[in-house]
Amino acid sequence: MKKPLIFAVIALLASFALWATVTYPRIGGGLLHMASGIETRLYGLHRAKIDISDSQMMSWQGGPQDAQETVIMIHGYSSEKTVWMRFASHFTDKYQVLILDLPGHGETAFDPSLKYDTVSQAQRVVEAMDALGIKRAHIVGNSMGGFIAAQLALRHANRVQSAVLVDAAGVVAPQESDMAKMLATGRNPFEIHNRDEFIEFYAMTMSQPPWLPRMILDYMADDYIIRRESLIRIFQDFHNTGLLDKHLSDINVPILILWGERDRLLHISSAAIWQSGIPNAELITYPELGHMPMLEAPRKSAEDVLAFFAKHR
């Protein structure tokens, strides 16, 4: 083969490799958004903007217009509203459902001038309720979202019909999780620099994750890499929020605690702190699940939450 032809072939292969590197995860992202769009429509959810004092929050909303009760679902740190869609499908026949993208997450923009501590995020949830005319709601939050749900129950009890804390941050764990051990060494598993780091992190988030093709995982990895600096800032604000251990006895709304016993991000030992500290709090644990029971076992976790709501109408 002549040298010019060899160089042409090498250039063509290099161009293809570059195209594949750039385009392949974009295809995965397109498939993810298309699938999510189809599922949410099937579940009776629609995309809507909510204007509050410092942000334009994106959301999914659904359920009967004449529903007597509302459920608000709040995702965890670095996550977004999509983690709730299959769980939410079990509520839209009887409840008005509101699923939020908190500022700095999902489709709601990051603004470096904002505060991202859980008190500030809880206030934004209240503003979203005001904007939509929601007087009281059941609040369901996962991880950081559980911390926010607890802040709402503590600081805005008149707006909270009940709260469900799903593997919630916000108290001192008696035993260290895998994440806590990593943080102690100076490494934050949420700070993703490459796709291999993301795969390691993703394995920590769930014990039984739903199957996703590799191109979608690579898209998610690239998204974490792009957002790394903003996530670092949000993490700093979130982790500088005072913990609630000394305030749990002041929570006087009905509380259900859900926890996956195989949680590697927040140790299962935290569940007992929440339950013993909050008067009359109920606890359900899942031996086979990890940090996101609502995503790993949406039907089972939804059934448990619906049974809890039925007692607190």
Side-chain angles (χ1 to χ4, degrees):
M1 186 180 294
K2 296 181 180 180
K3 287 185 178 180
L5 182 56
I6 293 174
F7 292 148
V9 171
I10 292 172
L12 180 62
L13 291 174
S15 297
F16 177 78
L18 179 62
W19 174 87
T21 300
V22 173
T23 305
Y24 166 78
R26 289 181 182 174
I27 295 172
L31 289 173
L32 178 62
H33 295 311
M34 181 177 68
S36 297
I38 292 171
E39 281 201 64
T40 52
R41 285 193 292 274
L42 288 173
Y43 302 152
L45 297 166
H46 64 273
R47 182 174 175 270
K49 300 175 183 178
I50 308 171
D51 289 315
I52 60 173
S53 62
D54 61 9
S55 306
Q56 185 176 76
M57 296 175 70
M58 299 305 300
S59 70
W60 281 337
Q61 301 176 25
Q65 292 294 318
D66 59 351
Q68 299 300 304
E69 297 177 83
T70 299
V71 183
I72 299 176
M73 301 176 187
I74 309 173
H75 60 74
Y77 165 66
S78 83
S79 188
E80 60 174 308
K81 60 186 179 296
T82 55
V83 298
W84 294 106
M85 62 182 180
R86 292 177 184 173
F87 176 88
S89 70
H90 300 281
F91 294 81
T92 49
D93 57 339
K94 294 182 180 179
Y95 293 86
Q96 181 181 355
V97 174
L98 172 62
I99 310 175
L100 297 170
D101 269 342
L102 295 171
H105 296 78
E107 294 185 289
T108 302
F110 171 78
D111 181 343
S113 69
L114 300 185
K115 294 180 180 180
Y116 293 92
D117 59 277
T118 58
V119 175
S120 298
Q121 297 283 40
Q123 179 59 41
R124 293 182 183 111
V125 175
V126 172
E127 289 189 30
M129 293 172 69
D130 289 343
L132 297 174
I134 301 170
K135 294 181 179 179
R136 296 177 74 222
H138 300 282
I139 311 294
V140 186
N142 171 239
S143 195
M144 180 187 74
F147 195 168
I148 293 167
Q151 293 281 23
L152 287 164
L154 179 66
R155 298 169 182 271
H156 305 277
N158 62 317
R159 310 300 297 272
V160 179
Q161 190 167 344
S162 73
V164 181
L165 314 181
V166 186
D167 293 65
V171 298
V172 178
Q175 298 182 51
E176 285 189 321
S177 65
D178 289 352
M179 181 179 74
K181 293 174 184 176
M182 291 176 69
L183 289 171
T185 69
R187 181 185 172 197
N188 186 339
F190 287 89
E191 293 181 21
I192 306 300
H193 298 83
N194 55 63
R195 292 175 182 174
D196 288 338
E197 285 185 358
F198 177 79
I199 295 301
E200 179 186 11
F201 160 73
Y202 187 71
M204 296 177 67
T205 63
M206 290 173 279
S207 178
Q208 297 187 28
W211 179 84
L212 292 173
R214 183 59 190 243
M215 68 170 60
I216 290 179
L217 292 173
D218 284 347
Y219 164 78
M220 294 166 65
D222 291 355
D223 182 60
Y224 265 80
I225 294 167
I226 292 168
R227 294 190 296 138
R228 185 173 63 247
E229 294 305 317
S230 64
L231 288 175
I232 289 172
R233 164 62 198 289
I234 295 169
F235 188 85
Q236 291 170 345
D237 282 10
F238 162 39
H239 275 258
N240 284 331
T241 307
L243 299 180
L244 298 180
D245 299 70
K246 295 180 180 179
H247 304 285
L248 297 181
S249 61
D250 297 325
I251 296 176
N252 294 308
V253 304
I255 299 288
L256 172 65
I257 303 150
L258 301 183
W259 218 284
E261 294 183 19
R262 295 187 179 182
D263 192 336
R264 297 177 60 193
L265 298 181
L266 297 172
H267 197 274
I268 177 64
S269 60
S270 297
I273 302 300
W274 286 105
Q275 185 186 26
S276 63
I278 299 174
N280 303 312
E282 301 177 33
L283 171 64
I284 298 173
T285 66
Y286 304 103
E288 303 302 320
L289 303 182
H291 186 62
M292 294 194 280
M294 74 289 184
L295 186 54
E296 299 175 65
R299 178 179 294 277
K300 173 56 180 169
S301 55
E303 288 173 350
D304 290 334
V305 172
L306 285 165
F308 174 72
F309 286 173
K311 295 187 293 185
H312 299 288
R313 287 179 174 154

